[in-house]
Amino acid sequence: MSRNTVKQDEDLRKFSNAELAVRLLKYLKPYKLKITVVVLLLIFVMAVGLINPYLLQIAIDKNIKTKDIKGLIIIGAIMIILNFSAMIASKARITAMASVTNNILLNIRHDLYKHIQRLSFSFFDNRPVGKVLARVIGDVNSLNDLLTNSVTSFIPELLTLICVAVMMFVMNFKLALASITMLPFLLIGLFSIETFSRKRWQKFRKKRSTFNAYTHEDFSGIRVVQAFANEKRTSSTFFGLVKDMMDAFIHAVKLNDLFWPMVETSWGLGSVIVFWYGAKLIDSGLTVGTIIAFTWYISMFWRPIMNISSFYNTLIMNFAAAERIFEIMDIKPDIIDIKDAIKMPKIKGQVEFKNVTFGYEDGTKVLDKINFKINPGETIALVGPTGAGKTTIVNLISRFYDAQEGEVLIDGRNVKHVELESLRSQMGIMLQDTFLFSTTIKENIRYGRLDATDEEVILAAKTVNAHDFIMSLEKGYDTEVNERGSRLSVGQRQLISFARALLANPRILILDEATSNIDTQTEKLVQKGIQKLLHGRTSFVIAHRLSTIRDCHKIMVVNNGRITEAGTHEELIKSKGLYYDLYMAQYKFLSEGA
């Protein structure tokens, strides 16, 4: 993955508003009972709001006009009780809806996380980690307002609008008609803005994702940045990305800010029309109470429109986030279980490649018609120039990728025909770049087998000679390590990974340059542990340090995507082929270095 990939905006699949709405509503389904309660509470609050002007009209036109103090007190008491109850109901529905929204966000984030974990290596090969994190964290968080407002704003405001409109038309048809004269113009304006606003918010989220990816990569490689004194250049790039993100945000907000002036202008003009026309109707018998009540209803009519417009504004802003989430969730893993996949029995360890061809990109072959057969319990070394295809071979054994031609067989079974979990759970893979999690050393070792006891963890560490250095730490096995184990030396991290692999007790073991970062003294300590690790299981060892593979049962030399030589160390030295050249060049280099 190139540096430009981090700084390049993503191309996204476009979804229709209806499609996004339907998919989001599916997450509301499990909470339909709670949402029903919330809606009922909202209807009660809305009903109280609708009754208030009507009660005020009665108080003015009847009780005040007839000086009925008792009736006035009764109406006042009713209004106090209703509004106090509405206040309690409003608080209850806010609490309930917050609980529903948080649970929905949890479910969406969990579904997204589980889906990403199932995606193939090819997905991560082409996407910086920062851009993936932007979906899981930022984009999911952006749905909070959308989900909350869809129930707490849109539904009640729509009901309020309908009920207020009905009340207005019942009270005075002509005056009600005058009050909505500006509504068609407002709707035309809002839909016009939506057409362009969605694209602008999509652009902003792309810029923010790119910014997150660059920041994540830069901080992950801070040692390299400082080692080459590149702080000024990276700061300049950072500033450029921040500016792009800020410009995209301002560009989107400018258009969104037109919502409020349009609604308020329509509200103002609509009110002016109502007052002007209402003044004319006074001569036709329109009462003062009706005019005051109608004035209140006008406010109640336009306020929902403003709130619905706000929801629509939120909808446009956050549909861009939903689009990015569902775009990831619609990506299908390249490597999946076939329909009739069987559970892999306990692996004996026979591995065979039959005419295997593979390439990461179309038209480029990394492996070309590879053939070999390994017996159970054998230790096989893969050597050759960088990029020859050694790591690709072990990736196909673990089925991180599928062969484009030919078959990869384990114990005579094609790896494509068995369940992935049952296959990979019987394999152990140790890489040159050892990854440790931000937890204790004990838990990092236990990651090899989660049900292992403390005694088994310690025994595994002792076997690979990691116990002594672990006990020399302040808290021993309970010592917390930072992300990727940065508090430990490279050699110490490798020893912990050996203990983790031993605890897992894999049937097939893969060591990909696993000892390349260990110094000579540490290597001597761990060699005995490695021998115990290799004993009784089929193992593949990729190593550039040829002195570490002399005792392997077979050494296979990979060059230009083919196996050009195979045999024991002594046999390959006698044949004086590529292995002989590599070995002698390394031996000469070490002799001169000494």
Side-chain angles (χ1 to χ4, degrees):
M1 182 167 53
S2 69
R3 187 73 160 162
N4 288 333
T5 305
V6 176
K7 295 185 283 185
Q8 187 176 352
D9 294 338
E10 303 155 285
D11 292 325
L12 301 176
R13 176 198 156 192
K14 292 184 179 179
F15 293 80
S16 67
N17 289 346
E19 186 179 358
L20 290 172
V22 168
R23 294 185 69 163
L24 286 171
L25 285 172
K26 287 180 181 178
Y27 284 95
L28 290 170
K29 214 172 182 181
Y31 304 98
K32 55 188 176 185
L33 183 60
K34 270 192 175 183
I35 291 172
T36 301
V37 173
V38 169
V39 171
L40 290 174
L41 291 171
L42 285 166
I43 291 173
F44 173 72
V45 174
M46 179 192 72
V48 171
L50 290 170
I51 290 172
N52 281 329
Y54 179 71
L55 292 175
L56 185 63
Q57 180 194 10
I58 294 174
I60 293 172
D61 287 346
K62 292 185 178 180
N63 301 113
I64 293 177
K65 188 175 182 179
T66 60
K67 297 182 180 180
D68 183 4
I69 304 298
K70 184 180 178 181
L72 200 61
I73 291 172
I74 291 172
I75 288 179
I78 291 172
M79 290 183 73
I80 290 171
I81 293 170
L82 285 175
N83 283 277
F84 183 74
S85 300
M87 182 182 71
I88 295 173
S90 182
K91 186 176 180 181
R93 62 98 178 164
I94 290 171
T95 303
M97 195 59 214
S99 172
V100 170
T101 301
N102 286 331
N103 283 324
I104 290 172
L105 291 181
L106 177 66
N107 293 337
I108 292 175
R109 185 174 280 122
H110 190 224
D111 287 350
L112 181 60
Y113 180 79
K114 286 195 300 182
H115 180 73
I116 290 172
Q117 281 201 124
R118 290 195 297 266
L119 293 177
S120 309
F121 278 13
S122 57
F123 170 82
F124 298 96
D125 290 341
N126 299 315
R127 268 187 177 81
V129 174
K131 291 190 178 183
V132 178
L133 287 175
R135 312 287 180 101
V136 178
I137 299 172
D139 289 334
V140 174
N141 286 342
S142 296
L143 297 180
N144 184 29
D145 289 342
L146 177 62
L147 293 168
T148 301
N149 292 338
S150 64
V151 175
T152 59
S153 293
F154 180 69
I155 295 174
E157 298 296 354
L158 185 62
L159 289 173
T160 300
L161 186 64
I162 294 170
C163 292
V164 169
V166 170
M167 294 288 286
M168 289 168 64
F169 276 98
V170 168
M171 289 183 71
N172 192 296
F173 185 83
K174 292 180 179 179
L175 206 57
L177 207 59
S179 66
I180 64 171
T181 52
M182 294 302 299
L183 195 57
F185 300 101
L186 176 63
L187 293 176
I188 292 170
L190 292 180
F191 283 114
S192 299
I193 290 175
E194 189 270 345
T195 304
F196 301 100
S197 185
R198 173 102 170 258
K199 293 178 182 178
R200 293 189 182 188
W201 283 112
Q202 285 174 340
K203 183 178 179 181
F204 162 69
R205 294 196 180 279
K206 288 179 184 179
K207 295 294 182 184
R208 190 176 70 173
S209 177
T210 302
F211 164 76
N212 287 340
Y214 180 83
T215 306
H216 179 274
E217 183 186 63
D218 211 51
F219 287 157
S220 297
I222 192 64
R223 287 181 173 84
V224 177
V225 173
Q226 294 182 355
F228 287 92
N230 270 337
E231 291 91 342
K232 287 185 179 180
R233 187 178 65 83
T234 54
S235 294
S236 176
T237 304
F238 179 86
F239 179 81
L241 292 174
V242 171
K243 190 177 184 304
D244 286 346
M245 182 175 67
M246 182 184 69
D247 290 345
F249 178 76
I250 292 173
H251 191 55
V253 166
K254 279 181 179 178
L255 193 57
N256 271 73
D257 284 347
L258 291 176
F259 273 95
W260 308 116
M262 287 182 64
V263 175
E264 289 177 350
T265 301
S266 300
W267 184 346
L269 291 174
S271 299
V272 169
I273 293 170
V274 167
F275 290 134
W276 171 76
Y277 191 63
K280 288 190 171 186
L281 293 178
I282 289 177
D283 297 333
S284 304
L286 197 67
T287 66
V288 174
T290 301
I291 292 177
I292 293 174
F294 213 93
T295 303
W296 198 341
Y297 277 128
I298 291 171
S299 175
M300 292 179 67
F301 178 78
W302 281 100
R303 189 172 289 112
I305 291 176
M306 178 170 275
N307 291 334
I308 289 172
S309 299
S310 175
F311 170 73
Y312 190 61
N313 196 1
T314 303
L315 192 76
I316 294 169
M317 289 170 58
N318 295 309
F319 261 10
E323 203 165 37
R324 288 164 55 79
I325 291 168
F326 293 129
E327 189 262 343
I328 290 282
M329 292 180 76
D330 286 347
I331 295 175
K332 304 296 183 185
D334 297 331
I335 310 300
I336 58 173
D337 291 334
I338 63 171
K339 186 178 180 181
D340 299 322
I342 62 169
K343 190 172 182 179
M344 185 73 181
K346 186 176 181 180
I347 292 176
K348 296 177 182 177
Q350 185 189 77
V351 178
E352 184 176 3
F353 274 44
K354 287 186 175 180
N355 293 315
V356 171
T357 297
F358 176 80
Y360 294 101
E361 297 176 0
D362 293 338
T364 304
K365 291 183 180 179
V366 178
L367 299 179
D368 186 15
K369 297 191 181 300
I370 294 286
N371 288 279
F372 64 78
K373 186 173 183 179
I374 308 302
N375 295 319
E378 287 187 339
T379 299
I380 308 302
L382 298 173
V383 301
T386 300
K390 304 183 294 296
T391 299
T392 301
I393 289 175
V394 296
N395 279 340
L396 293 177
I397 295 172
S398 307
R399 209 189 162 207
F400 291 133
Y401 300 91
D402 276 337
Q404 289 155 352
E405 296 178 21
E407 292 182 299
V408 178
L409 307 173
I410 294 180
D411 295 342
R413 292 182 174 84
N414 191 320
V415 293
K416 293 181 181 179
H417 299 159
V418 299
E419 294 177 2
L420 273 173
E421 187 179 352
S422 66
L423 172 69
R424 292 177 184 167
S425 64
Q426 299 188 66
M427 293 189 173
I429 302 173
M430 287 185 290
L431 307 174
Q432 179 180 359
D433 183 19
T434 301
F435 190 95
L436 298 184
F437 296 95
S438 298
T439 182
T440 63
I441 289 176
K442 183 191 296 179
E443 292 307 314
N444 268 290
I445 296 174
R446 186 177 275 128
Y447 198 80
R449 182 159 56 86
L450 298 178
D451 60 350
T453 64
D454 288 354
E455 290 74 19
E456 289 172 322
V457 169
I458 293 170
L459 180 60
K462 285 181 176 178
T463 304
V464 297
N465 294 306
H467 180 74
D468 289 342
F469 97 78
I470 293 173
M471 293 307 296
S472 69
L473 300 173
E474 184 181 354
K475 294 183 180 179
Y477 284 86
D478 292 320
T479 301
E480 294 273 347
V481 297
N482 296 337
E483 184 182 2
R484 305 185 71 88
S486 59
R487 291 180 60 184
L488 305 175
S489 71
V490 175
Q492 288 171 335
R493 296 201 296 269
Q494 293 286 33
L495 290 173
I496 290 174
S497 74
F498 286 140
R500 182 164 60 194
L502 182 63
L503 190 64
N505 191 27
R507 305 308 306 156
I508 295 178
L509 180 67
I510 295 168
L511 305 179
D512 190 350
E513 296 288 347
T515 61
S516 61
N517 290 326
I518 297 178
D519 58 77
T520 305
Q521 186 175 359
T522 306
E523 184 183 346
K524 290 178 181 177
L525 289 174
V526 82
Q527 278 301 326
K528 291 181 180 179
I530 291 178
Q531 291 305 318
K532 290 183 180 179
L533 197 59
L534 299 177
H535 180 71
R537 52 176 61 90
T538 304
S539 305
F540 290 84
V541 180
I542 299 176
H544 284 127
R545 195 183 297 178
L546 302 183
S547 60
T548 62
I549 59 170
R550 293 185 58 167
D551 297 329
C552 291
H553 294 97
K554 184 185 291 184
I555 298 171
M556 296 194 299
V557 181
V558 185
N559 191 26
N560 294 325
R562 293 178 176 272
I563 296 176
T564 56
E565 301 175 52
T568 63
H569 171 75
E570 289 76 15
E571 290 171 347
L572 294 178
I573 290 294
K574 287 179 182 178
S575 66
K576 293 190 176 183
L578 179 58
Y579 178 80
Y580 173 83
D581 294 337
L582 291 172
Y583 185 83
M584 295 308 295
Q586 196 171 103
Y587 180 78
K588 183 179 180 182
F589 174 78
L590 292 173
S591 297
E592 290 176 352

